Amino acid sequence: MKVAVIGAGNSGLIAIKCCLDEGLEPTCFEMSEDIGGLWRFTPEVENGRASIYKSVVTNTSKEMMCYSDFPFPENFPNFLHNSKMLDYYRRFAERFGLLKYIHFKTFVHSVKKHPNFASTGQWIVTTEKNGKQETTIFDAVMIGSGHHSDPYYPLESFPGIKTFKGCYFHSREYKSSESFKGKRVVVVGMGNSGTDIAVELSRTAAQVYLSTRRGSWVMSRVFEHGYPWDICFDTRFQNWIRNTLPSSVVLWLTEKKMNAWFDHANYGLQPRDSSQFKEPLFNDELPSRITCGYVVVKPDVAEFTETAVKFDDGTTEENIDAVIFATGYRFSFPFLDESIIKVEDNKISLYRNIFPLTLEKPTLGVIGLLQPLGPIMSSSEIQARWVTRVFKGLCKLPPPDEIRREIDRKTKISIQRFGTERGNSLQQDYIEYLDELAIDIGCKPNIFGLLMKDPILALTLFFGPCTPAQFRLTGPGQWPMARKQIITTYDRILKPTKTRVLKKQEQNSLLMRFGLGALCVLALLLAVVMYKS
């Protein structure tokens, strides 16, 4: 079965590997000259490719974001510079022999249904390399082209911007702070990129103003007891609490937790509508730069003049030299007809964020088009594992009517949790989403079943971080090293930080955590037994 894979970044590489795991024949088309996608830094902005600035570091930690059977080297830091991410991708591609399946500098012009698609499910893929076009028939297609290459740049929403005499550009074009020495800069937009850029510029520029329309919760990468935030946040126990308690209680607890570091209202950062959960941004330095005056938080921009910026609160900042619009991205599929996938206002209707509704045969899937409250890499991987098994007929899709009902149900849940803002359209509950696909694949761990056979592993699975190796314990793709990988997670977290080892190290906090967890589970089991009796 021949499969076309579009893109050789995070999603494309794992798509190739999953095809090989299932005995399929992948051919990957990558428009640039190398692998890495978003994480391959280049000094210049390349047309059609995602672009990052020189200092970009991951927001999710190495133990949570690795591919499930290929961990990061132990000596790598918990949060990784983009150069180390690219190094990891190169190691991954070499370990599983992926490069020979990739056609570099190859642009995908079109992906069209074969005339016999209703019976064969085949696709006609037209590509171009060195000015020469080629058409090939494939049995299936996996799209892993990402959603950070087409900037959302709504200049029409900013009155007077055309009269502004300073420079202005989208954050996609930002590479470093070197050329902003002594400048007065306004950064519009308070996502991760906008905040990172504002903080970085504040060390060079004369003054930085950070304009936000909605505000945002700000989290540190360093969380409870010094562990990475996602190690503490993305656990099955924490997820169970969040999805069990009333939403009002969850929102109250979230606000209380976020304000434990600093009071967001006092820094002008608290979200305008706390009832809708906006993905938090991760920046360890922002509060410090604000309290030292290097970054000044401002409300939404009202108007530009030739040299100044006016804000919604009536204030004006004069002598502005540059404006950087960190207004996000939009996604599209220019090689596909709208009858296959239609994007409206950055919203799309796909079954499980993967399959279009209108196909007679499920032979085209999108990989990585989501924003989980956790790492994207493990999300893309579980998608690719599931999709390749759907292609083979080992996992079945429900009837069309059931698919539509499921999409409607999920859309309502998403709106209830994350609201209707365009920037939240791809948001997903991380563990809930992974489990849903893992159940179909047959690789979701049975925690209750493990309680009697392997209680240490069971408790680690429930109270510890939901690392990708959890989905390699059983079922298709089982990995013999999965249990050890899970049990030793905290050892690898501490390895790159515990470089000065004290003679007496307190281990009580971790033991207490699992001890309390064991008591909770035993109490729950006892309650179930008493209820049944």
Side-chain angles (χ1 to χ4, degrees), residues 337-356:
D337 188 83
E338 283 194 351
S339 63
I340 299 170
I341 295 181
K342 187 174 183 178
V343 182
E344 293 182 295
D345 192 29
N346 226 49
K347 294 180 175 63
I348 193 169
S349 186
L350 298 174
Y351 178 58
R352 291 183 172 176
N353 284 63
I354 297 172
F355 284 110

Side-chain angles (χ1 to χ4, degrees), residues 348-414:
I348 193 169
S349 186
L350 298 174
Y351 178 58
R352 291 183 172 176
N353 284 63
I354 297 172
F355 284 110
L357 305 184
T358 57
L359 299 181
E360 303 96 317
K361 300 280 186 179
T363 55
L364 180 142
V366 183
I367 308 298
L369 189 63
L370 74 168
Q371 288 179 310
L373 296 176
I376 183 66
M377 285 174 65
S378 46
S379 306
S380 296
E381 180 180 17
I382 205 79
Q383 286 183 323
R385 289 176 67 183
W386 181 65
V387 167
T388 50
R389 292 180 67 78
V390 170
F391 288 167
K392 289 181 69 176
L394 298 175
C395 291
K396 303 290 185 181
L397 267 60
D401 288 346
E402 190 175 329
I403 287 177
R404 287 187 179 88
R405 286 195 298 271
E406 178 70 2
I407 289 176
D408 289 341
R409 185 179 71 85
K410 290 289 181 66
T411 300
K412 290 177 182 176
I413 292 173
S414 178

Side-chain angles (χ1 to χ4, degrees), residues 235-238 240 447 457-464 470 521:
T235 73
R236 293 183 180 278
F237 175 64
Q238 292 288 343
W240 175 73
I447 296 175
L457 177 59
L459 293 172
T460 305
L461 292 176
F462 189 67
F463 292 100
Q470 288 201 11
V521 171

Side-chain angles (χ1 to χ4, degrees), residues 477-498:
Q478 186 175 356
W479 182 41
M481 295 297 293
R483 185 188 185 278
K484 181 181 178 182
Q485 180 74 8
I486 294 165
I487 294 295
T488 57
T489 296
Y490 285 94
D491 296 335
R492 290 186 305 280
I493 291 170
L494 295 177
K495 186 168 180 73
T497 60
K498 205 170 168 184

Side-chain angles (χ1 to χ4, degrees), residues 3-6 15 18-19 140-144 363-365 367 384 387-388 391:
V3 181
V5 177
I6 301 175
C18 289
C19 282
V141 177
M142 299 175 78
I143 302 172
T363 55
L364 180 142
I367 308 298
V387 167
T388 50
F391 288 167

Side-chain angles (χ1 to χ4, degrees), residues 185-206:
V185 185
V186 172
V187 178
V188 179
M190 206 178 111
N192 282 299
S193 294
T195 307
D196 279 354
I197 292 170
V199 167
E200 183 169 282
L201 285 174
S202 71
R203 302 189 191 97
T204 306

Side-chain angles (χ1 to χ4, degrees), residues 247 251 255 271-277 415-419:
S247 57
L251 288 169
E255 186 166 342
R272 184 179 64 189
D273 184 1
S274 298
S275 66
Q276 295 184 347
F277 187 80
I415 291 173
Q416 183 181 3
R417 288 179 180 174
F418 309 116

